Amino acid sequence: MITTHSPTLISMPEALDVLLFTMKVTHVEPGKNALQITRMVPVSTTDSEQEQAEDVAVESYTINQVLKYLNNRFLDEAKDRLTKKRSRLYKR
């Protein structure tokens, strides 16, 4: 799981493709209380045959958020892998 306290852990090459990024989403319906949901999204630097066009927005957002956490000079390899994956998403 990626948190703001784990940039070194998530930059480990053997860990990067088995991570989950969590985000809080608020579901709102008129006349009802807002429902806060924690959503988990896998972080992947490799391409998959199961990826679909509608997943590109979620995956791109996830990669952008993880890249923010990796803003550290010791984490260049992980950032490079995520940046390459993001570029491949936009070439589809």
Side-chain angles (χ1 to χ4, degrees), residues 35-54:
L35 177 64
Q36 291 189 336
I37 301 167
T38 300
R39 182 168 183 196
M40 295 183 169
V41 181
V43 177
S44 175
T45 60
T46 57
D47 294 326
S48 167
E49 292 181 16
Q50 290 93 9
E51 291 176 348
Q52 297 180 359
E54 60 266 14

Side-chain angles (χ1 to χ4, degrees), residues 19-87:
L19 297 172
L20 291 174
F21 176 76
T22 60
M23 63 184 123
K24 190 183 288 186
V25 179
T26 303
H27 180 75
V28 179
E29 287 187 38
K32 295 184 178 181
N33 290 333
L35 177 64
Q36 291 189 336
I37 301 167
T38 300
R39 182 168 183 196
M40 295 183 169
V41 181
V43 177
S44 175
T45 60
T46 57
D47 294 326
S48 167
E49 292 181 16
Q50 290 93 9
E51 291 176 348
Q52 297 180 359
E54 60 266 14
D55 296 334
V56 171
V58 171
E59 196 167 356
S60 180
Y61 174 80
T62 300
I63 289 171
N64 285 333
Q65 294 303 308
V66 173
L67 284 168
K68 286 181 184 180
Y69 294 138
L70 295 176
N71 191 16
N72 182 312
R73 67 184 179 92
F74 298 107
L75 309 174
D76 289 337
E77 181 181 348
K79 287 169 59 174
D80 288 344
R81 289 172 60 186
L82 286 166
T83 300
K84 288 175 184 174
K85 170 63 182 222
R86 183 178 55 192
S87 295

